[in-house]
Amino acid sequence: MATRQASIVSQLLATYLKALANRFSPTQLTYLTVGKKKPLLVYGSLMLPLQIAHIIGDLESADQIASQMTPATLYHHERRAVKDALFPAVVAAPAEYLWDPLKEVKGLLVFDLTDSQQSDLDRYECGLYNLMPVEVWIEVVDELDARIVVDAEVYVWAGSRDELLEVEEKVWTIEEYLDRRASTALVEGNGKQDVV
C-alpha cells in the first residue's frame, strides 16, 4: 500500500509540475481558443492533472491534460479555505479591496475540455460552485515573454462566506493538500473519490 501511495503522489507531482512549466506560443493559443469553449481556471485539487483524469474516468489522459494546462492569474478574487474541508473556494474580493494587487488567485488554465469532461467536473463540484466567466492573465512564449488576457471560466463559491475561513486564518495550498492526502490512496471527495 505504501508503495502504491508513493507512486500515486509521484504521478500527481510529475503531471502537476509539467502543467506548471507549460507555456503556449501565440499560435498554439489561437489553436486552443478560436472556435472552442472557454478554458477553465482551476485552483484547488483540480490543479493536479491526474485528479482531473480520475474524475473524467481516463487515468491514461493525465499527461495529455497536463499538456493542455498553463499557469494563470485571476485578479480581484481570493482563494479561501472552506471550514472543515480540504478543498478551497474562490470568491470575488470585497469591494474595499477590489483594486488590491494582492487579491489574486494563482491557478492553472485547462484548455480543450470536451463537453463530457466539463460535465464530469461539474458533477464533481456537487453544486457547491457556480461556473462564472472571468478574465485571467497568462504568459505566452514569444520574443517578449508577454502576458496576455484570456477569457475563461472558473468555479466560484456558491455558498455563504460564513462557510469560508478568512485569508488571515488559513491559506489553502496545493502542497498542504498533498501532504494531508498522502496518507491514503483513495479517499472520499466531493461526490467522487479523489486520487489522493
Side-chain angles (χ1 to χ4, degrees):
M1 184 70 157
T3 303
R4 181 170 181 249
Q5 291 169 319
S7 174
I8 290 172
V9 170
S10 175
Q11 283 182 282
L12 283 164
L13 288 174
T15 55
Y16 173 64
L17 293 174
K18 179 178 179 179
L20 271 182
N22 204 23
R23 302 293 185 277
F24 299 114
S25 70
T27 302
Q28 290 170 313
L29 194 57
T30 298
Y31 171 77
L32 290 168
T33 57
V34 172
K36 298 187 179 182
K37 63 187 296 178
K38 291 180 182 177
L40 177 66
L41 177 68
V42 292
Y43 54 85
S45 66
L46 295 181
M47 289 193 302
L48 302 166
L50 187 60
Q51 180 71 7
I52 294 174
H54 177 69
I55 292 165
I56 66 172
D58 183 8
L59 289 175
E60 299 300 316
S61 68
D63 279 328
Q64 175 64 30
I65 292 167
S67 72
Q68 296 169 193
M69 298 173 83
T70 192
T73 304
L74 172 63
Y75 290 100
H76 317 303
H77 286 73
E78 300 176 311
R79 176 182 9 232
R80 305 270 293 272
V82 177
K83 291 179 181 175
D84 302 319
L86 287 178
F87 53 88
V90 159
V91 293
E96 64 268 23
Y97 297 108
L98 191 57
W99 300 109
D100 185 339
L102 298 177
K103 300 299 180 186
E104 66 182 29
V105 176
K106 293 197 178 288
L108 290 166
L109 203 54
V110 186
F111 290 90
D112 224 10
L113 290 171
T114 67
D115 290 338
S116 173
Q117 291 168 336
Q118 183 70 57
S119 292
D120 289 339
L121 295 176
D122 290 345
R123 277 190 296 280
Y124 175 76
E125 297 297 2
C126 292
L128 296 173
Y129 304 87
N130 294 320
L131 198 56
M132 303 294 291
V134 291
E135 291 181 338
V136 298
W137 288 84
I138 66 168
E139 292 178 13
V140 292
V141 178
D142 64 7
E143 60 278 353
L144 301 174
D145 287 333
R147 291 185 53 190
I148 63 168
V149 175
V150 174
D151 289 328
E153 295 181 315
V154 66
Y155 289 109
V156 175
W157 183 247
S160 165
R161 282 185 179 257
D162 293 338
E163 299 173 68
L164 305 175
L165 295 173
E166 292 298 322
V167 174
E168 296 78 23
E169 292 178 58
K170 176 162 178 47
V171 175
W172 187 95
T173 66
I174 193 75
E175 294 82 8
E176 182 182 342
Y177 174 83
L178 286 172
D179 287 346
R180 292 182 66 189
R181 288 298 195 196
S183 62
T184 59
L186 289 172
V187 295
E188 290 300 321
N190 299 351
K192 189 154 187 169
Q193 290 185 332
D194 286 344
V195 175
V196 292

